[in-house]
Amino acid sequence: MALYDAFGKERIFGRTDVIKALAITPSPASALIKKMLELGLIENVRGLGKGKYRFVVSICKTD
């Protein structure tokens, strides 16, 4: 949720952005990106270099 709050559905992000947003090291950031790709929450963005992603689903928030 913290990543979706930071980047939303429109913003493109990379591993460095995940590291900064969550204050984690590179290894867990890479693992998180890999897991989100496997779950279909994010997709690769072509044409902007390797390792760029965006959310493909809207995450509904409930209070």
Side-chain angles (χ1 to χ4, degrees), residues 12-42:
I12 296 169
F13 60 92
R15 185 178 73 159
T16 303
D17 300 312
V18 173
I19 292 168
K20 289 178 184 176
L22 299 179
I24 58 177
T25 59
S27 183
S30 295
L32 178 60
I33 289 170
K34 181 179 177 184
K35 187 66 171 180
M36 290 191 304
L37 280 168
E38 290 172 359
L39 293 172
L41 298 174
I42 61 174

